[in-house]
Amino acid sequence: MNITIIRVPDYESMSRQAADFLLKKIRELSSPVLGLATGSTPKGLYEQLISIHQTQKISYRHVTTFNLDEYIGLTASDPNSYHAFMEDAFFRHVDIPASQIYIPNGEAAYLEHECTRYEALIDKKGIDVQVLGIGQNGHIGFNEPDTPFSQLTHVTTLAESTREANARFFSSPEDVPKQAITMGIASIMKSSEILLLASGARKAEAVTRLLSGNVSEDFPASVLHHHRCVTIIADDEALSEFTRKEEEHD
Ligand code: PGA
């Protein structure tokens, strides 16, 4: 299998291992390009990277970042925008120059043009490691089930289940935007390496389906079986169902 699975006991260890993984690239490469994700999953990873920057005085000045996605219909200063999330959870605590931070512009007047512009930037810089979470429905970025694997950065309509899952961040469920700009599956697959993180029982079913090895557009994360270099760091709870099924097989 092209997928390396690192099993860790809990969220804290997942975050630490993920930070070590990225730190290695940050140290080894002269101008590392990291693909970043939002959501609850990578928050601990960002906390670890901030702590390393602050306590070990390691600079990230040479790092460039690309975020996977952004809502359409929220201003960049809206606390629920992914611009605001990233600023708060990571960027304002570290020394990555603003000119090296790329996030799709969900406020662009011409959204199609914004998608083309973003994809061209990804092609120009090339992503060394793309960090991914996984949705309970198998989405990666905002590539919902049945997104063609061939799609590049595009405007997408969020699945109702995704809007419900993300409603916890908004004052009311109706406030969750219906659309977003997301890197496509083909954009994600261009990255040299992929690092997928999963924590908690909430993700156990999706992780089991991913590891089953069936590749199908109705489960977007399954495309990763076609990538040459994927590492999954998952905790015991996220791997619990997979392990149980494996044991039943033995
Ligand atoms: P989460 O979201 O990290 O908030 O669980 C992951 C995702 O939906 O991709």
Side-chain angles (χ1 to χ4, degrees):
M1 193 153 78
N2 60 335
I3 300 185
T4 305
I5 303 168
I6 302 177
R7 185 183 187 123
V8 292
D10 52 24
Y11 182 79
E12 174 79 14
S13 346
M14 179 198 75
S15 306
R16 259 190 279 114
Q17 290 259 5
D20 287 348
F21 189 102
L22 293 189
L23 197 60
K24 201 159 173 285
K25 305 291 172 198
I26 292 172
R27 290 192 141 142
E28 281 173 7
L29 302 174
S30 56
S31 41
V33 181
L34 306 180
L36 301 180
T38 49
S40 312
T41 308
K43 261 194 139 164
L45 156 65
Y46 300 138
E47 280 163 20
Q48 294 290 333
L49 287 175
I50 292 166
S51 155
I52 291 166
H53 167 71
Q54 291 174 348
T55 59
Q56 301 177 34
K57 306 282 177 250
I58 291 177
S59 174
Y60 303 153
R61 250 196 313 263
H62 59 310
V63 174
T64 294
T65 65
F66 279 92
N67 264 81
L68 280 169
D69 44 20
E70 176 59 287
Y71 288 119
I72 293 172
L74 301 182
T75 61
S77 60
D78 187 301
N80 277 313
S81 76
Y82 286 165
H83 277 76
F85 174 98
M86 288 306 300
E87 191 58 25
D88 201 47
F90 190 42
F91 294 136
R92 73 184 167 87
H93 308 279
V94 295
D95 60 348
I96 303 175
S99 59
Q100 288 159 217
I101 293 172
Y102 298 98
I103 305 178
N105 177 10
E107 298 178 83
Y110 299 101
L111 291 167
E112 291 308 323
H113 178 262
E114 172 61 8
C115 295
T116 316
R117 183 192 76 90
Y118 201 70
E119 192 69 34
L121 280 167
I122 293 170
D123 285 338
K124 187 163 163 220
K125 311 271 177 190
I127 296 176
D128 294 303
V129 187
Q130 175 66 56
V131 176
L132 296 176
I134 181 168
Q136 284 161 266
N137 64 0
H139 73 201
I140 48 176
F142 273 137
N143 292 285
E144 302 288 17
D146 296 321
T147 304
F149 285 167
S150 57
Q151 276 211 308
L152 297 168
T153 302
H154 62 283
V155 172
T156 185
T157 299
L158 305 187
E160 269 318 299
S161 62
T162 298
R163 293 186 66 234
E164 281 161 27
N166 290 3
R168 67 192 193 276
F169 301 112
F170 291 79
S171 31
S172 105
E174 302 87 71
D175 292 346
V176 184
K178 294 194 163 64
Q179 286 195 307
I181 295 186
T182 183
M183 276 167 62
I185 290 181
S187 332
I188 293 171
M189 291 293 277
K190 290 177 191 170
S191 314
S192 305
E193 271 188 70
I194 307 261
L195 176 64
L196 183 139
L197 308 178
S199 168
R202 199 162 65 86
K203 299 296 169 70
E205 204 179 315
V207 169
T208 306
R209 192 156 169 205
L210 168 58
L211 296 178
S212 76
N214 292 330
V215 177
S216 149
E217 286 183 348
D218 68 6
F219 194 74
S222 66
V223 76
L224 299 180
H225 288 281
H226 290 163
H227 194 281
R228 62 195 171 285
C229 190
V230 179
T231 302
I232 297 178
I233 307 179
D235 66 13
D236 282 340
E237 282 191 359
L239 282 167
S240 56
E241 189 181 310
F242 176 69
T243 319
R244 189 175 47 76
K245 288 212 161 131
E246 289 282 286
E247 283 167 1
E248 275 170 17
H249 260 231
D250 291 344

